[in-house]
Structure formats: structure tokens, C-alpha cells
Amino acid sequence: MSITLEQAEQLSKVAKEKAKAIGVPMNIAIVDKGANLVAFHRMDNAWLGSVDIAIKKAKTARFFDMNSGEIGKLSQPGGPLYNIEHSNGGLITFPGGVVLKDNEGKIVGAIGVSGGSVDQDHEVASAGAGAL
């Protein structure tokens, strides 16, 4: 099973509400279990440069079935995944990409958020993921 468009729209709605609550316009990308883009929302005044970052955060989380920030910890110099960000057409290895799991714990996709600090991005992505 993969995330549906209806579910993706609900997650995006929750993420946008969280972004509004913290006062930061965000780009929100949701991919299915095959890392295909299902939904994308760019809030008014969200950075254009963050469009690609949000999508890549979602894909990064899904490609490796872990949140993008966790991959970042492993990809530091001397780490086991050092330079992994150069694979797969470019990955984003800092927080803001969160794996999406169904009620049985099976991965159904990922959400990627960009537009604020990495902590804000992760907070908004986590809020969206929590709506699944």
C-alpha cells in the first residue's frame, strides 16, 4: 500500500497549519512508497530555492527509509555514509524529510519540508507525518 492523494492532501493541510502557526511559509512535498511525487504545496512567499530541497528531502527519506536528518548524522566526514548526498541525483541530508508509516508500521511514503530553519522544517514535516 502506498499513500493516497487524499491522505497526502490531509498531511499537507496539517503541515501548512503548523507552518502558519510558527509563522514560516514552507514548501511541502509528499512522495509515495516508490518515491514518486504525489502532492506538492508552496505556501505564499515560501522560498523558491526550497522547492527542490523539499522534494529531495522527501525522496531522501524514502530512498533510505529513515528521516533525512538521521542520514545526515551518518554522512559526516569519517561516517559510514560519507558523501552519500552525491548519489541518486543529489540527496538532502539534513532534517525536514520524514518517513511516513501506516498503522501497521509499513512505510507508505515520505514528506519533505523546506523554508525555515532545519528545526522548523523537521517540526512541520513531523506534524504532517503525524496526521497519517
Side-chain angles (χ1 to χ4, degrees):
M1 180 68 110
S2 197
I3 191 164
T4 66
L5 177 59
E6 183 178 345
Q7 290 170 319
E9 292 289 343
Q10 179 59 33
L11 270 60
S12 183
K13 178 182 176 190
V14 171
K16 286 186 284 188
E17 289 170 358
K18 183 65 172 179
K20 286 178 186 175
I22 64 172
V24 181
M26 299 280 191
N27 292 287
I28 302 160
I30 300 169
V31 298
D32 64 15
K33 70 179 186 175
N36 302 297
L37 190 63
V38 175
F40 183 85
H41 291 93
R42 179 176 173 260
M43 296 175 67
D44 291 342
N45 300 312
W47 292 333
L48 288 172
S50 291
V51 169
D52 184 56
I53 294 171
I55 294 168
K56 284 185 178 177
K57 283 182 181 183
K59 287 184 174 192
T60 298
R62 179 54 192 114
F63 284 163
F64 298 98
D65 296 338
M66 68 177 82
N67 293 350
S68 58
E70 293 305 309
I71 296 169
K73 292 175 187 175
L74 298 170
S75 66
Q76 296 303 306
L81 300 180
Y82 182 59
N83 278 329
I84 195 170
E85 64 274 9
H86 301 292
S87 70
N88 294 286
L91 302 174
I92 300 294
T93 59
F94 45 85
V98 174
V99 175
L100 300 174
K101 296 181 181 180
D102 66 13
N103 292 335
E104 298 173 5
K106 294 180 182 172
I107 294 172
V108 295
I111 182 171
V113 175
S114 184
S117 69
V118 291
D119 290 336
Q120 291 169 326
D121 293 353
H122 182 73
E123 180 181 5
V124 172
S126 295
L132 185 60

